[in-house]
Amino acid sequence: MTVRRFDNKVALVTGAGQGIGFAIAERFAAEGARVIMADIREDLLSEAAASLRAAGGDVSEHQLDVSAAEQVDAVIAEIAASCGRIDILANNAGIAKEEPFVEIEDQQWRRMIDVNLNGMFYVAQRVSRLMVQQGGGAIINMASTNGLVGEAGYAHYNASKGGVVLLTKTMAIELGKSGIRVNAVCPGYIQTPLSQSIDSPETVERYIEQFIPLRRTGTPQDVAGVFAFLASEDATFITGECIVVDGGQLSF
Ligand SMILES: NC(=O)c1ccc[n+]([C@@H]2O[C@H](COP(=O)([O-])OP(=O)(O)OC[C@H]3O[C@@H](n4cnc5c(N)ncnc54)[C@H](O)[C@@H]3O)[C@@H](O)[C@H]2O)c1
């Protein structure tokens, strides 16, 4: 039996075209939410939205580059006009790239911060304003284990995700009085098009053997379930928290 925790709720998911964002949208839709899928890539987005609609989901889509504040303003205004509210924000869109610290070009540094941190801020702030007016909501920001501990080759990514962790805690402190809960999810190694573009299967096998107690990488669904928990009535006294979903990796 599918639990339907999100009947009559409106959920916005960024980066919903593939990977973890798609799994989050799929989970919210399966549990009854009206899901608004946003992604910078229209090709991925329309295919992803069509597949959820075919499965019976109540979904709509908006092309959106989260790093462009004016696009965020326009999309949130459109959603406010069409749905009247946003109950849940899965602030997931992000990018990653492996580069030695001394070789990162300024432009690459800026793009990483623009998408992963500035974009997270633009979307979270605009949605929060709507949630304050409507009297509550749940925001889940996508961080990473790389926002909690360092990893060589990812200085810009780690800095952006560390920023997301403290953005989350500060938002939780300021928005609690308005009935808005703000949490972060910190995944470890999850198999998605993003991680597959960085590591070969051999590298992943070695990584699992060396670093992951549960002896497998995570799936997008492993992460989507935690987003759903944090958005649900089961998490009504949880805010400012960062939940690690890493198969035990940070236990070392
Ligand atoms: N895969 C992992 O191992 C892992 C681990 C920790 C955290 N994360 C985080 O999870 C999130 C999703 O990662 P994923 O692995 O599913 O990646 P992915 O590349 O498979 O999917 C990311 C989606 O975000 C979209 N996107 C990229 N830039 C965007 C922008 N500027 N505006 C709107 N959409 C944009 C992409 O088009 C894509 O559909 C990211 O924030 C990532 O940092 C991933």
Side-chain angles (χ1 to χ4, degrees):
M1 190 186 74
T2 308
V3 186
R4 290 178 67 93
R5 290 177 288 185
F6 306 120
D7 279 336
N8 305 315
K9 301 282 187 198
V10 177
L12 169 62
V13 183
T14 67
Q18 66 177 18
I20 300 170
F22 175 72
I24 295 168
E26 187 178 39
R27 181 66 183 261
F28 284 147
E31 292 207 33
R34 178 174 182 183
V35 180
I36 297 135
M37 304 170 75
D39 202 286
I40 194 171
R41 281 185 54 186
E42 203 163 19
D43 56 332
L44 291 177
L45 192 56
S46 50
E47 204 178 309
S51 77
L52 293 190
R53 263 193 292 274
D58 179 359
V59 302
S60 55
E61 66 263 41
H62 286 272
Q63 189 186 9
L64 170 67
D65 178 352
V66 295
S67 71
E70 67 289 352
Q71 286 185 32
V72 174
D73 286 335
V75 166
I76 302 302
E78 276 177 50
I79 298 169
S82 60
C83 302
R85 58 191 295 114
I86 297 175
D87 300 291
I88 300 161
L89 166 63
N91 209 0
N92 160 81
I95 53 175
K97 194 170 191 317
E98 184 175 11
E99 289 173 301
F101 174 66
V102 293
E103 290 174 19
I104 297 174
E105 293 184 0
D106 295 350
Q107 194 191 359
Q108 187 58 41
W109 174 273
R110 275 197 294 269
R111 185 65 189 155
M112 192 70 72
I113 300 297
D114 264 348
V115 176
N116 289 6
L117 188 54
N118 296 344
M120 193 94 19
F121 162 71
Y122 298 140
V123 179
Q125 191 206 44
R126 275 51 167 192
V127 170
S128 295
R129 287 174 180 158
L130 192 60
M131 287 179 171
V132 168
Q133 285 171 26
Q134 72 197 26
I139 295 176
I140 304 115
N141 293 326
M142 179 59 95
S144 168
T145 47
N146 289 49
L148 301 172
V149 297
E151 182 181 3
Y154 293 90
H156 41 13
Y157 182 75
N158 299 345
S160 71
K161 294 299 186 181
V164 171
V165 168
L166 278 178
L167 173 67
T168 300
K169 289 181 181 292
T170 312
M171 286 174 62
I173 294 165
E174 292 196 27
L175 297 172
K177 62 179 180 296
S178 303
I180 303 168
R181 295 184 300 102
V182 189
N183 292 290
V185 175
C186 296
Y189 201 114
I190 311 299
Q191 284 288 357
T192 66
L194 176 66
S195 54
Q196 280 156 357
S197 74
I198 297 175
D199 296 312
S200 68
E202 297 72 37
T203 307
V204 177
E205 278 313 307
R206 276 201 307 277
Y207 195 89
I208 290 171
E209 197 53 39
Q210 236 184 319
F211 298 120
I212 308 182
L214 287 181
R215 291 292 187 274
R216 66 171 178 89
T217 53
T219 64
Q221 290 72 25
D222 288 326
V223 182
V226 179
F227 269 72
F229 164 68
L230 287 171
S232 79
E233 294 290 309
D234 291 328
T236 43
F237 203 49
I238 301 179
T239 196
E241 185 57 83
C242 299
I243 298 198
V244 173
V245 185
D246 71 344
Q249 190 177 335
L250 289 196
S251 304
F252 284 104

